[in-house]
Amino acid sequence: MKHLQFTFAGVSLIALAASLPSVLGAGDLKFRHHAIANELPTDARGGGDYGLTALVDLDRDGDLDFVLGGRLVPPARLYWFEFQSSERWVQHTVGTDYRSDVGIAPLDVDGDGWKDLVASGVWYRNQTRPRSAEFERAVFDADAGGAHDILAHDIDGDGRLDVVLMGDEKTQLKDVRWYATSAERGAPWKHRTIGPPIHGAITPGAILDVDGDKDPDVLRGDAWFENADSHGGRWVEHADVPFGREGPFGKCVRCAAADLDGDGKPEIVISDADIVDSHVAILRRTGGDSPRWSRDELPRSFTYGSLHSLAVADLDLDGRLDVAVNEQEELLPPGRSNPRWIVWQNLGKDGFAERVILDAKLGGHELQAGDVDADGDVDLCSKPWGVRGDNGAGGKMHVDFLENLIKP
């Protein structure tokens, strides 16, 4: 196997010139690339509208499987890829007509111990035979199509997971709202409105206690919504978050709450999405009589494209949370055709170091992090929204697994 050795941003990398999988090193991080699939359908221009990603153990075998959906080649089809080994993934169909733009949330809706999947106005019941039977589709709101973001969280404090959905002004679902789930097939789920939407905002994890009153609030990119009655019945908007630029699809960010410095308080990691020259920043809420947000940008050694992905996880097993993103194949800066996967390694008091972990002309969208192979470290999975004809998969729609090699 032929390799090229080069230096980028002060970090020595190894890239394959011939075939994948490859081992790429950056700082203390090492990953091996594996192709999950290269044959999903696209239209003649490379479009597929592939979203709805999740890493979840659907077959209860102790490892994580990868979920994604594509809608541009009808019917809108939701897939899951069964992990059998790093080199072997088996493709299955969850169902069709999922009605989401991008969002999905895995959770056990009916309490039977098997993870189900909630999409936009519909949910898919895992019938306990996911390898041999498609999931049972049930409508919970016929007027709630088009969710860009879906997130599971206990909003009302009753100990049961609810789901938060957000569309935008162009979709059937035109607000941020939360639903109390019900296991009854076809039964409507009751919802409460949180506030107006932007194009993308609340995933992968923008629900947190912003104001310190021990209930969950919702951060929506450029604003946050206070859970004013602590049970999700009344919400107050505070438009004071210093992030969120207008792009081709309006304001769109990816956002996650995480304790990055180990002080027991969550920070906000937030990235631009659907816009060239994307930035990633850490927001902190300062106290006092007039609380406000501070903003610290993570370092960049080059101009990024669109970062429609964000994951926060301890990738190097040093006890500190790192930040991972990848660039889309669309919306790259002029003159670039090589979307990259980037990790900011959390060095503690020394800040964050930018690491390029994959530079193989394979873009990504809605990246997911989790211990896929159950070996004790966190891996990464992703796929593009649509593909470039000159990408590293020969112009095909690719689904990618980056196996973390930090464990000996």
Side-chain angles (χ1 to χ4, degrees):
M1 186 174 291
K2 183 180 178 183
H3 296 79
L4 294 175
Q5 180 80 32
F6 63 97
T7 301
F8 182 83
V11 178
S12 176
L13 305 176
I14 300 173
L16 271 99
S19 60
L20 295 175
S22 62
V23 178
L24 297 105
D28 298 328
L29 301 170
K30 290 184 179 179
F31 292 88
R32 177 180 287 119
H33 174 274
H34 305 271
I36 296 175
N38 280 320
E39 300 296 336
L40 292 179
T42 60
D43 66 14
R45 296 178 297 175
D49 286 13
Y50 281 94
L52 293 95
T53 64
L55 273 175
V56 54
D57 185 1
L58 290 176
D59 52 5
R60 299 209 313 185
D61 65 351
D63 52 48
L64 298 180
D65 310 300
F66 189 46
V67 177
L68 62 90
R71 65 180 182 181
L72 202 56
V73 178
R77 191 176 300 277
L78 191 58
Y79 305 91
W80 73 280
F81 290 87
E82 175 193 348
F83 175 85
Q84 293 190 347
S85 73
S86 298
E87 301 286 348
R88 178 171 170 77
W89 297 71
V90 179
Q91 180 178 318
H92 304 276
T93 298
V94 172
T96 58
D97 192 20
Y98 51 71
R99 304 184 68 222
S100 286
D101 181 7
V102 174
I104 196 167
L107 67 152
D108 182 4
V109 174
D110 55 5
D112 65 353
W114 294 78
K115 289 296 177 69
D116 311 302
L117 297 167
V118 177
S120 195
V122 300
W123 68 284
Y124 294 86
R125 177 178 171 266
N126 188 335
Q127 301 189 76
T128 75
R129 305 182 312 280
R131 296 172 184 163
S132 59
E134 292 190 9
F135 290 37
E136 179 185 2
R137 181 180 183 273
V139 176
F140 65 83
D141 189 342
D143 299 318
H148 188 279
D149 293 353
I150 303 179
L151 196 58
H153 199 94
D154 180 7
I155 296 295
D156 54 7
D158 66 354
R160 181 181 175 86
L161 285 176
D162 310 298
V163 289
V164 181
L165 275 67
M166 188 190 75
D168 65 27
E169 66 278 1
K170 297 179 182 179
T171 63
Q172 187 182 35
L173 178 71
K174 290 181 170 59
D175 56 17
V176 186
R177 61 176 65 172
W178 71 274
Y179 288 83
T181 63
S182 170
E184 185 179 349
R185 314 291 190 276
W189 294 1
K190 295 180 180 179
H191 78 268
R192 295 290 191 107
T193 297
I194 295 172
I198 59 177
H199 181 61
I202 63 172
T203 55
I207 299 178
L208 72 156
D209 181 8
V210 174
D211 51 8
D213 63 355
K214 302 188 186 307
D215 58 37
D217 308 302
V218 177
L219 197 145
R220 191 214 59 192
D222 58 351
W224 65 281
F225 295 94
E226 176 189 352
N227 190 347
D229 67 358
S230 297
H231 299 292
R234 186 167 67 89
W235 300 84
V236 177
E237 180 177 355
H238 302 273
D240 59 1
V241 181
F243 209 88
R245 294 184 292 152
E246 290 281 349
F249 305 99
K251 293 181 179 179
C252 188
V253 303
R254 305 286 80 190
C255 185
D259 183 6
L260 299 174
D261 54 14
D263 66 352
K265 301 176 183 178
E267 287 76 45
I268 301 295
V269 185
I270 191 165
S271 71
D272 290 315
D274 280 338
I275 192 169
V276 175
D277 191 26
S278 287
H279 294 244
V280 182
I282 299 171
L283 306 181
R284 293 178 174 85
R285 182 80 168 169
T286 60
D289 295 333
S290 300
R292 58 188 181 86
W293 298 92
S294 67
R295 169 175 169 161
D296 297 305
E297 293 208 3
L298 294 180
R300 301 186 314 163
S301 61
F302 60 97
T303 300
Y304 291 177
S306 169
L307 300 179
H308 206 298
S309 289
L310 177 67
V312 181
D314 183 4
L315 295 170
D316 55 6
L317 299 182
D318 66 353
R320 296 185 291 262
L321 294 174
D322 310 298
V323 178
V325 298
N326 53 15
E327 297 178 287
Q328 289 185 244
E329 292 191 19
E330 314 94 328
L331 293 174
L332 284 170
R336 275 190 53 208
S337 60
N338 60 326
R340 296 163 174 145
W341 298 41
I342 303 111
V343 167
W344 284 275
Q345 197 169 6
N346 187 343
L347 305 179
K349 294 181 179 179
D350 293 326
F352 288 81
E354 176 197 47
R355 314 293 195 193
V356 176
I357 60 167
L358 183 66
D359 191 353
K361 299 185 75 174
L362 299 172
H365 177 271
E366 293 298 281
L367 173 149
Q368 297 289 327
D371 185 3
V372 172
D373 48 11
D375 67 349
D377 55 29
V378 178
D379 312 295
L380 303 173
C381 288
S382 191
K383 46 84 223 163
W385 174 255
V387 297
R388 296 174 60 101
D390 61 351
N391 71 14
K396 294 181 178 181
M397 176 66 196
H398 51 92
V399 187
D400 304 290
F401 170 46
L402 262 61
E403 177 190 5
N404 195 336
L405 304 179
I406 198 74
K407 291 284 285 188

